[in-house]
Amino acid sequence: MKAAAQALLESCRVAWWTAVLAAGLCLGRRDRARSSRLLRAYLLRMGPLYIKAGQVLGTQSGLLPRQVADEFRTFFDQLPPMREPALEKVLRRGLGRPPEEVFEAFDRRPVAAGSVAQVHRAVAGGRPVAVKVVKAGVRGRLEAGAAVIGRLLAVAHLLPRLRGYDLPGHFREMRPLLTGQCDMAAEADRQREVAENFRSHPFVRVPRVHEELCGPDVLVMEYVDGIPGHDAGAVPVSRRELAARLQDAFYCMVYFHGRFHVDPHPGNIVFTPEGRITLLDFGLVGHLSEDDKWNLASFYYACIRKEWALAGRRFTRAFAVRPETLGHAAYEEELGAILRRHFEEQASHWSTLAFLDDAIRLLGRHGTRITTTFSVLALSLLTGEGFISEVDPEIDLWATTRRFTDRFAPYLNEGLRETFQREIGERAPRTQALREEAARHLVAPTHFDRFVLPSAFPLAVAQARGSRLRDLDGNEYVDLSGGYGPHILGYAHPAVVAAIQEAAARGAVNAVGNPDEVRLAGLIAAAFGPDHKVVLSNSGTEAVQIALRIARARTGRQRVAKFEGHYHGFSDQGLVSSWFRYRGDPRAPEPVGNSAGMQDAVVAQTLVLQYGEEDSLRRIAAHADELACVVLEPMPSALGDFDPAFLRRLAAVCAEAGVLVVYDEVVTGFRVHYGGVQHLAGTAPDLTCLGKIIGGGLPAGAVVGRAEVIDTARTSGDPFRDVDSRAFAGGTMSGNSVTAAAGAATLRELRDRPQIYSRLRDRTAWLVEDLTAQAGDCGVPCRVKGRDSVFSVAFDHATPRLVRDRLAGLDVTATLAFAYHMRRYGVHLPELHTMMLSAAHSDADLEQVSEAFGKSVREMLSTGFFGAHRD
């Protein structure tokens, strides 16, 4: 009854003051300043939901006359505060006692007052803190206002011209976001999450929350002093640089983090004298799912390339409700014209408001509307871009957006691309010619035609020896790729070369028994345990396929669980949620394909887990009766480390549930330790998949496990029983004598020279420490991670825990440019892949890598990389 009465009272207030506003506007229709004052007074009387609209207007000095926008500037942080008795009541309720018993000092005069809450300065633990207090009665006003707006929109929906916009449905979806902004406990959670995302950012910070003092009515955080956002002109940094930093902060939240500030107006920004940005007020925070980020990036990518038909389809998929109703020619033609107008003809004067207006009108004419997610995003961009344009009226918003929209785009800026094209063209003309010849006959998805992220300047090698490569033009490089892993001894190791020559001279036997395959299998089995057996194959991909088939045959169950971001070869099962696309809640991911042509049924039936998370173990237990196995990289390549405690808990949960554990040690097998990472972690899976190193540089794979499990792939001697209960694992070239001889020679070297592993461990640690220190000295946001011969370099200010977050924040353009800069100084590294050391790398090689890294990073820094602004 109370809520209904409040809604009725709110309806009367809206009707009365709307009539007053309409009359005032009619009387002073030619006086813009007077009309602005009337509108400001109207929004102020209407309460929090309406004041938000005024805050947006206050940022639009680029669209509205300055004097009009100025009328709404007081909405940022200069609204009327609560009376002191009301403040006292809210504080006692929120803190559970008077503020004097909680704080050493508390100033009852607010330093800022917004539409939902006001902020006071206090002292706690000897340090100044900011105390954000929800205004008395604001929850009721928000709910009542939302109820009234919902009814008004329902009436508007009756009008034929407005019916296609589905205004009631749209507002219904947005209502929880708008009315939930007065819960300070929830806001504290959002603030902590955004703070973690920006923890290592060079010029963005978020105040630390004092969790023990927070509740639904009160949020306590560190006090941040500085230059208010609306005084940006007082910051001793160029307007161009400051605007670019703001854009960097806002767009990082949208495109990288997927958690963005919906209300980034000047009242929620504080600058330090050095131009660092502090973000405040997380009452309204939007969320983009992995699909949202993917769709947004793919849409902008098509616009950049001016592929308007494709951009139209992606726009519809990303932003339209009921996209399946919009595939007709009239709609597509109108949309194409809108996209061309905004992204080509008017791109240098980009306006989110103008584009949004055209898009909403178009969808409404065709009986649908934009999604709520995009509406919230558009509100954020509209407010943020208005503030950015106020700081630097000359900024080209669209031109400076490409770093963020090119999430997976192999773009270098034009000047840098021309420089590398000239340098590499002059230095390696034969390599360039070979690439052109290859294009006529060969599709090479690993190098010349790399999938998803094509290489601008692939390498073509004439000779590889030890730690070095020589290209077709005679240029020599210290190699950090190792062929993606096999060459742990270095290229053309004498023992391996001799073994290959001898086996080839004996006839290169395959598909019949030979001593070499028995020797190789014996070496592999001995590295894992006396009761182990081996099935040989031709690649790591095959090894995983065989292991999964063995698991299904042994358990009688069909379903497979895997971990997000773990790559298990190019099979349909191995690719699920492995590389670029992720979906669903991070704690309970949903399966998604990473290639056209994957079987939908295989994707849908895969249970996707999150490495290191307890929720994953609970999900395994919940699905135990249908799971044949869990397959994972025990040391995920994308993370460069492993979690032994999690691996042990995983083994215990799976053993209790009768689910087999399959380790994919195709990369780490015999690289991080003789055998694999499982020996370092102290765990023993049911099956281990191997490849790369066990072939000595030739194609090879293997599955190793306890005899009773591996024997599932061995004939029973009864053909009928074989078909019913045995797993077939064939391969004409599996265990061929040349590959087996090379692999056995490699393993003997590793077994008999254990100092190789300790030396690689020490050298990797030195390199990681050295490169990290150099990046720190230059002030470059760079993470260098690695251990046991495997390491990676990522240009990213965050320290992500999950693979999806690591990829989302990666500066792809900088990573590509880094690889080409390193080539200038004689170092080859895979442009977007883990790097590896070999036993052949000398101290001089590592010094060359270190020197090349320092020079490359400093050159990149001097040409605009890693800063907010990039020409």
Side-chain angles (χ1 to χ4, degrees):
M1 289 294 293
K2 183 178 178 181
Q6 197 161 14
L8 179 60
L9 178 61
E10 189 72 13
S11 299
C12 294
R13 291 180 69 256
V14 169
W16 168 252
W17 288 114
T18 301
V20 170
L21 173 66
L25 292 176
C26 288
L27 291 173
R29 90 176 43 164
R30 294 180 181 274
D31 188 341
R32 185 173 288 171
R34 181 174 179 277
S35 297
S36 301
R37 288 193 295 273
L38 286 171
L39 180 59
R40 177 189 174 280
Y42 170 78
L43 295 175
L44 187 59
R45 290 188 183 101
M46 290 299 95
L49 289 179
Y50 301 83
I51 289 172
K52 289 296 176 189
Q55 290 172 338
V56 174
L57 291 173
T59 65
Q60 300 306 309
S61 57
L63 297 174
L64 302 175
R66 182 77 191 202
Q67 66 186 69
V68 174
D70 283 347
E71 282 295 333
F72 302 96
R73 298 298 172 85
T74 56
F75 282 9
F76 295 147
D77 57 6
Q78 301 168 41
L79 293 171
M82 284 183 282
R83 292 188 175 90
E84 193 159 321
L87 170 65
E88 191 72 26
K89 184 176 180 180
V90 175
L91 284 170
R92 283 176 176 269
R93 184 176 68 231
L95 297 170
R97 46 193 167 144
E100 289 79 11
E101 296 181 16
V102 178
F103 304 105
E104 291 137 59
F106 184 87
D107 188 348
R108 281 176 166 73
R109 292 170 301 175
V111 295
S115 59
V116 171
Q118 59 192 54
V119 180
H120 295 258
R121 184 165 182 157
V123 177
R127 295 178 178 274
V129 294
V131 183
K132 186 174 182 178
V133 186
V134 175
K135 286 185 171 181
V138 76
R139 286 189 178 88
R141 290 292 304 276
L142 281 171
E143 290 292 346
V148 171
I149 292 173
R151 292 189 183 115
L152 291 173
L153 294 177
V155 173
H157 187 66
L158 299 175
L159 301 175
R161 286 187 59 192
L162 298 179
R163 197 166 296 151
Y165 294 96
D166 187 21
L167 298 176
H170 203 163
F171 184 73
R172 190 163 49 248
E173 293 172 4
M174 292 189 70
R175 183 170 175 170
L177 176 72
L178 297 172
T179 58
Q181 60 186 305
C182 52
D183 182 344
M184 294 295 103
E187 180 172 339
D189 289 339
R190 293 189 290 267
Q191 183 164 331
R192 282 192 296 270
E193 183 177 358
V194 176
E196 181 60 26
N197 289 338
F198 280 114
R199 185 157 58 95
S200 301
H201 197 281
F203 52 79
V204 179
R205 64 188 298 263
V206 175
R208 183 176 64 86
V209 172
H210 292 264
E211 301 175 35
E212 71 282 1
L213 298 177
C214 296
D217 295 305
V218 176
L219 189 160
V220 182
M221 71 192 94
E222 66 173 307
Y223 189 89
V224 177
D225 213 348
I227 301 168
H230 49 72
D231 291 334
V235 180
V237 173
S238 73
R239 285 186 170 271
R240 183 179 186 224
E241 174 67 14
L242 195 62
R245 290 184 180 186
L246 285 168
Q247 189 177 24
D248 188 287
F250 299 160
Y251 285 14
C252 269
M253 287 188 278
V254 172
Y255 294 101
F256 292 171
H257 306 155
R259 296 290 269 175
F260 58 92
H261 202 305
V262 178
D263 213 12
H265 60 68
N268 291 332
I269 304 289
V270 172
F271 297 106
T272 68
E274 301 77 30
R276 295 185 69 191
I277 299 163
T278 300
L279 300 175
L280 304 173
D281 191 347
F282 298 92
L284 291 173
V285 172
H287 175 254
L288 295 181
S289 69
E290 291 301 311
D291 277 349
D292 292 332
K293 288 191 287 184
W294 178 271
N295 290 336
L296 188 64
S298 67
F299 164 65
Y300 280 126
Y301 185 66
C303 290
I304 288 168
R305 296 164 68 91
K306 299 181 181 180
E307 297 173 340
W308 304 119
L310 179 61
R313 291 193 295 272
R314 289 176 175 175
F315 169 88
T316 304
R317 179 183 68 189
F319 306 136
V321 173
R322 300 186 303 279
E324 67 278 0
T325 66
L326 296 171
H328 46 85
Y331 165 79
E332 292 175 353
E333 185 177 345
E334 287 183 73
L335 177 57
I338 289 172
L339 295 176
R340 280 192 295 273
R341 180 164 66 253
H342 288 282
F343 289 93
E344 185 174 28
E345 298 165 13
Q346 300 175 3
S348 60
H349 303 285
W350 172 258
S351 166
T352 294
L353 179 62
F355 174 61
L356 180 63
D357 183 55
D358 282 349
I360 289 174
R361 290 174 183 274
L362 172 67
L363 294 175
R365 285 197 300 273
H366 291 274
T368 188
R369 61 177 172 86
I370 61 171
T371 64
T372 299
T373 297
F374 182 55
S375 294
V376 174
L377 174 61
L379 177 61
S380 173
L381 294 177
L382 180 63
T383 305
E385 290 171 1
F387 184 22
I388 293 166
S389 297
E390 180 186 337
V391 173
D392 179 15
E394 302 301 317
I395 192 169
D396 185 339
L397 287 167
W398 175 235
T400 54
T401 300
R402 279 183 50 164
R403 175 191 169 197
F404 303 93
T405 57
D406 295 354
R407 182 179 173 192
F408 298 120
Y411 279 136
L412 302 172
N413 67 53
E414 292 303 320
L416 195 59
R417 175 177 279 275
E418 288 177 7
T419 298
F420 284 130
Q421 185 73 54
R422 183 175 60 255
E423 285 185 7
I424 294 174
E426 292 174 356
R427 192 170 64 234
R430 292 181 180 176
T431 294
Q432 296 287 81
L434 182 68
R435 183 183 187 186
E436 293 169 8
E437 181 183 351
R440 294 195 293 270
H441 313 293
L442 173 69
V443 175
T446 306
H447 41 274
F448 287 136
D449 307 295
R450 191 172 56 211
F451 186 68
V452 173
L453 289 165
S455 173
F457 308 106
L459 199 66
V461 175
Q463 186 182 50
R465 186 175 299 278
S467 63
R468 294 181 173 257
L469 303 175
R470 183 178 295 118
D471 68 16
L472 297 178
D473 299 277
N475 302 299
E476 190 169 279
Y477 305 93
V478 174
D479 178 57
L480 296 178
S481 71
Y484 291 160
H487 301 286
I488 191 170
L489 299 177
Y491 294 99
H493 188 278
V496 178
V497 171
I500 292 172
Q501 290 173 336
E502 292 169 11
R506 291 195 300 269
V509 174
N510 66 283
V512 293
N514 66 83
D516 293 300
E517 67 177 336
V518 177
R519 293 190 194 102
L520 177 60
L523 286 165
I524 293 171
F528 290 88
D531 62 338
H532 280 54
K533 289 185 177 180
V534 177
V535 176
L536 296 175
S537 65
N538 292 298
S539 69
T541 293
E542 284 188 19
V544 171
Q545 289 177 303
I546 291 169
L548 300 188
R549 184 176 291 172
I550 288 174
R552 291 189 181 103
R554 183 165 177 80
T555 63
R557 303 169 185 167
Q558 288 293 301
R559 202 169 182 193
V560 169
K562 74 178 297 285
F563 287 80
E564 186 174 85
H566 293 208
Y567 174 66
H568 303 298
F570 59 79
S571 70
D572 285 359
Q573 191 87 71
L575 276 176
V576 174
S577 299
S578 64
W579 275 353
F580 305 106
R581 290 209 66 183
Y582 307 111
R583 179 173 290 164
D585 189 318
R587 294 166 299 180
E590 299 171 16
V592 62
N594 271 288
S595 167
M598 292 175 66
Q599 287 185 298
D600 292 340
V602 171
V603 175
Q605 276 299 302
T606 304
L607 179 67
V608 181
L609 309 170
Q610 204 62 268
Y611 186 86
E613 298 294 314
E614 290 296 321
D615 285 330
S616 296
L617 305 182
R618 287 189 283 271
R619 295 180 73 208
I620 291 170
H623 293 274
D625 60 345
E626 58 185 358
L627 284 177
C629 66
V630 176
V631 59
L632 71 153
E633 295 179 70
M635 179 175 160
S637 300
L639 300 179
D641 207 345
F642 60 90
D643 184 340
F646 176 74
L647 294 174
R648 288 192 290 272
R649 292 195 300 273
L650 173 68
V653 168
C654 289
E656 183 177 348
V659 177
L660 299 188
V661 177
V662 179
Y663 277 5
D664 179 346
E665 294 225 46
V666 172
V667 173
T668 55
F670 293 97
R671 172 164 284 280
V672 302
H673 188 277
Y674 189 76
V677 71
Q678 58 195 265
H679 299 315
L680 297 176
T683 57
D686 298 289
L687 295 171
T688 299
C689 302
L690 301 169
K692 300 188 184 292
I693 286 173
I694 64 165
L698 299 181
V703 183
V704 57
R706 298 189 314 278
E708 68 269 20
V709 182
I710 289 291
D711 278 344
T712 305
R714 184 177 190 174
T715 181
S716 66
D718 177 345
F720 300 99
R721 187 178 177 189
D722 280 3
V723 171
D724 289 340
S725 63
R726 293 293 190 263
F728 175 69
T732 299
M733 301 303 295
S734 298
N736 72 83
S737 63
V738 178
T739 293
T746 301
L747 296 191
R748 282 193 295 268
E749 285 287 315
L750 295 171
R751 180 196 63 189
D752 298 340
R753 296 173 58 204
Q755 66 272 22
I756 289 175
Y757 289 107
S758 58
R759 190 164 176 264
L760 284 172
R761 186 175 302 116
D762 292 344
R763 290 187 164 202
T764 308
W766 178 86
L767 195 60
V768 168
E769 183 179 356
D770 178 79
L771 302 189
T772 299
Q774 291 197 63
D777 290 344
C778 294
V780 169
C782 176
R783 290 180 294 104
V784 186
K785 294 189 65 176
R787 55 173 299 163
D788 302 295
S789 83
V790 182
F791 70 103
S792 64
V793 174
F795 296 106
D796 185 358
H797 64 263
T799 307
R801 184 173 51 85
L802 305 180
V803 175
R804 63 165 65 182
D805 297 329
R806 181 183 185 274
L807 186 62
L810 184 66
D811 191 331
V812 173
T813 306
T815 304
L816 291 170
F818 171 66
Y820 304 140
H821 273 281
M822 292 288 279
R823 279 199 214 169
R824 285 176 166 172
Y825 303 106
V827 177
H828 170 256
L829 50 90
E831 295 143 306
L832 295 161
H833 201 280
T834 301
M835 288 166 273
M836 300 180 195
L837 295 179
S838 75
H841 282 100
S842 65
D843 291 342
D845 290 334
L846 266 64
E847 290 290 348
Q848 183 173 340
V849 171
S850 172
E851 185 177 350
F853 178 87
K855 289 179 177 178
S856 297
V857 168
R858 285 191 290 274
E859 285 177 3
M860 294 171 67
L861 192 64
S862 70
T863 54
F865 282 96
F866 315 126
H869 183 74
R870 183 177 300 168
D871 290 323

